Amino acid sequence: MIDPIQIDLPTFIRDWHGPSSMPVTPLPSKFSWLPSPLKEWYELSSQWSDRLITIKEFLAPDQIEIEHGKAIFMEDYGDQSWAFDVNNPSIVLEGQSDGSWKRSTETLSEFLIHNIMHDSAHNAPFQRACNNVPDSYLPDILTAMQEVTFGGWLWPRPGHQIFLSDGIIADIGPAMDDEAPWGDKPGYFEVQIGATTSRRLDYLDEMHAIRWIRSE
């Protein structure tokens, strides 16, 4: 098991996105009201010319506004949003498609680490993915990896976990049923694995019963 708070974020980003290419851009003092972990994220990510997060979108600092005690700082490309509680900025609120909000089990610091790791599994240089992996294959798929013990979030559906080893990262979650109401498919998992080199995925290609979607 890996405690997410023990992960050094700058080192992780360098390992998965290469060295920084620009000097840090400090946030102006007018954004001092933002929570420290979020300010640190904006300043850290400013050192890379490529977007570090592509599945969701961080709002620019000057777009973050307070409304009803919360401040939305991130959105996906559908209808979900994420906010921090203005009165307790370590609390992350997950917006739901029906307009309601639910408190995340993760602090803001943990959530930001989870976010970059999840995105890296889906946007690594080399990838394997399958939406219907029998659970009997998971031990072999994850043999070299350890679970990162995130509290968990509700998006895109509850039950997803992150696993990590040197140069390889996996996002594992329940497979979706084949018909409405699109619940979890018992005995099957969605598996998304990213790696920094192609050779780290060779063992997956030997699992001929799984129809991997390849990206490299």
Side-chain angles (χ1 to χ4, degrees):
M1 298 280 191
I2 300 173
D3 185 340
I5 301 303
Q6 294 178 345
I7 293 171
D8 182 77
L9 200 51
T11 299
F12 179 86
I13 294 174
R14 286 195 295 269
D15 289 345
W16 286 85
H17 294 271
S20 59
S21 57
M22 299 181 294
V24 63
T25 303
L27 281 183
S29 59
K30 65 180 180 178
F31 299 119
S32 61
W33 68 279
L34 295 176
S36 294
L38 190 57
K39 289 188 292 185
E40 291 167 4
W41 167 260
Y42 282 119
E43 294 183 348
L44 175 62
S45 61
S46 72
Q47 299 175 71
W48 277 265
S49 56
D50 295 334
R51 288 181 59 195
L52 300 181
I53 302 297
T54 60
I55 296 175
K56 308 185 194 78
E57 183 175 17
F58 277 92
L59 271 63
D62 58 5
Q63 294 177 311
I64 300 176
E65 299 178 349
I66 299 173
E67 184 175 348
H68 304 302
K70 59 184 176 292
I72 296 174
F73 64 90
M74 190 170 68
E75 298 175 339
D76 74 355
Y77 294 96
D79 55 5
Q80 291 187 268
S81 303
W82 289 262
F84 62 85
D85 186 318
V86 174
N87 296 317
N88 190 343
S90 67
I91 293 176
V92 177
L93 302 169
E94 297 190 57
Q96 306 303 299
S97 57
D98 63 2
S100 64
W101 292 85
K102 293 185 179 180
R103 178 174 175 172
S104 173
T105 59
E106 299 177 357
T107 65
L108 180 57
S109 294
E110 182 179 339
F111 177 87
L112 293 172
I113 296 170
H114 193 169
N115 198 56
I116 182 65
M117 295 186 74
H118 173 268
D119 204 282
S120 296
H122 289 259
N123 287 298
F126 304 92
Q127 301 172 37
R128 297 292 184 273
C130 181
N131 290 333
N132 287 282
V133 175
D135 55 9
S136 59
Y137 282 87
L138 290 185
D140 291 334
I141 291 171
L142 301 172
T143 183
M145 291 180 260
Q146 296 184 65
E147 180 184 355
V148 185
T149 56
F150 291 111
W153 49 19
L154 301 176
W155 178 98
R157 57 202 291 120
H160 277 252
Q161 298 168 285
I162 297 291
F163 293 81
L164 179 68
S165 186
D166 183 31
I168 187 167
I169 189 168
D171 171 33
I172 309 292
M176 184 182 294
D177 212 347
D178 296 328
E179 54 188 42
W182 317 116
D184 294 347
K185 185 176 181 179
Y188 290 84
F189 286 82
E190 295 180 356
V191 175
Q192 172 70 41
I193 298 180
T196 54
T197 62
S198 61
R199 65 179 178 81
R200 296 193 180 280
L201 301 176
D202 287 346
Y203 77 102
L204 297 175
D205 295 333
E206 296 175 3
M207 299 179 185
H208 302 297
I210 300 177
R211 295 183 177 181
W212 294 112
I213 299 173
R214 301 164 57 98
S215 178
E216 55 188 24

